[in-house]
């Protein structure tokens, strides 16, 4: 049986002890990072709940605004016709022939224009989508 050199055995044991200490330090560091990440997950869940509540609140406000806007738009054409008749500017005599009206008076919708009305509704819906996108972008910016 070959003889075992005690010095080589001590060096090997010291090397293994150093490796064990390094691995233990890495494990400890990893466990600390896991604990930090778990805390961040809990914090993000709480923030997500507040964001959801804020989004619901914003949607309620937007729906209220849209409903008020729709009712005010229905009343606006009649008021606009009256105000345009009252506020029609009087051009000086030199400019009377060349002056263009600021805004054409609204025309009554005929039966031949239902497609135009549908297009207008589609444009308004796209405008609402843009509003929602803008609000969502603003909320994302707040929570970054």
């Amino acid at each position: 049986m070959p003889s075992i050199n005690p010095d080589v055995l001590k060096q090997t044991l010291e090397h293994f002890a150093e490796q064990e200490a390094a691995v233990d330090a890495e494990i400890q560091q990893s466990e600390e990072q896991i604990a930090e990440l778990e805390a961040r997950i809990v914090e993000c869940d709480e923030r997500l709940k507040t964001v959801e509540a804020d989004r619901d609140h914003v949607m309620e406000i937007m729906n209220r605004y849209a409903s008020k806007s729709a009712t005010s738009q229905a009343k606006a054409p009649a008021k606009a016709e009256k105000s345009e008749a009252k506020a029609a500017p009087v051009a000086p005599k030199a400019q009377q022939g060349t002056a263009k009206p600021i805004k054409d008076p609204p025309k009554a919708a005929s039966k031949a224009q239902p497609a135009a009305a549908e297009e207008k509704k589609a444009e308004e819906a796209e405008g609402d989508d843009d509003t929602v996108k803008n609000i969502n972008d603003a909320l994302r910016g707040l929570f970054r």
Side-chain angles (χ1 to χ4, degrees):
M1 181 151 115
S3 67
I4 298 175
N5 190 350
D7 291 334
V8 173
L9 187 58
K10 285 182 183 179
Q11 287 177 355
T12 307
L13 287 174
E14 288 175 5
H15 178 69
F16 286 144
E18 289 173 3
Q19 285 183 344
E20 183 182 15
V23 168
D24 286 342
E26 285 183 35
I27 290 172
Q28 181 66 27
Q29 188 178 20
S30 297
E31 288 175 350
E32 289 173 3
Q33 288 177 347
I34 289 170
E36 289 175 11
L37 291 173
E38 288 174 346
R40 284 182 61 191
I41 288 171
V42 170
E43 179 183 335
C44 288
D45 284 339
E46 291 172 359
R47 290 172 80 188
L48 183 61
K49 288 177 185 175
T50 60
V51 168
E52 289 174 354
D54 289 344
R55 181 179 10 169
D56 292 340
H57 183 68
V58 168
M59 292 302 287
E60 289 174 8
I61 291 172
M62 196 169 62
N63 288 337
R64 258 187 288 162
Y65 175 77
S67 66
K68 287 181 182 179
S69 177
T71 57
S72 66
Q73 285 178 356
K75 295 177 183 177
K79 290 181 181 178
E81 289 176 9
K82 291 178 183 177
S83 64
E84 286 178 7
K86 290 180 182 177
V90 178
K93 290 182 181 181
Q95 294 179 353
Q96 283 182 349
T98 60
K100 294 182 181 178
I102 295 174
K103 185 177 178 184
D104 292 335
K107 297 178 181 177
S110 67
K111 295 179 182 178
Q113 294 180 345
E118 290 177 14
E119 288 177 8
K120 185 175 180 182
K121 288 180 183 178
E123 289 175 3
E124 289 175 359
E126 288 177 7
D128 291 340
D129 291 341
D130 290 340
T131 304
V132 171
K133 288 177 186 176
N134 290 340
I135 290 171
N136 286 336
D137 290 342
L139 288 173
R140 283 188 198 110
L142 288 174
F143 293 103
R144 286 189 177 179

